[in-house]
């Protein structure tokens, strides 16, 4: 499903899990999102981190 929007709750979960050291594969499996989606959000977060 290309260009499907995900809600802010899942985005926050991605960042929280990733900051706890959970792998991208585990995050994608637990949230039901593709690894590419997880990678894109993490890259965005790292690029614009304050």
């Amino acid at each position: 499903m290309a260009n499907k929007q995900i809600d802010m709750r899942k985005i926050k979960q991605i960042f929280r899990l990733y900051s706890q050291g959970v792998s991208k594969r585990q995050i994608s499996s637990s949230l039901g999102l593709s690894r590419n989606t997880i990678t894109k959000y993490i890259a965005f977060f790292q690029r614009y981190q304050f």
Side-chain angles (χ1 to χ4, degrees):
M1 287 183 207
N3 298 326
K4 182 180 177 188
Q5 293 183 352
I6 62 174
D7 61 357
M8 187 57 76
R9 186 181 79 242
K10 282 195 176 185
I11 295 171
K12 288 179 181 179
Q13 286 178 320
I14 292 169
F15 298 143
R16 182 178 52 80
L17 291 170
Y18 185 72
S19 68
Q20 293 174 350
V22 179
S23 72
K24 294 174 189 175
R25 183 176 295 221
Q26 290 172 323
I27 295 170
S28 67
S29 175
S30 66
L31 297 180
L33 300 169
S34 75
R35 276 188 281 160
N36 286 338
T37 301
I38 302 300
T39 300
K40 287 177 186 178
Y41 277 101
I42 290 171
F44 180 81
F45 176 68
Q46 289 173 338
R47 193 173 331 138
Y48 296 104
Q49 192 174 25
F50 295 55

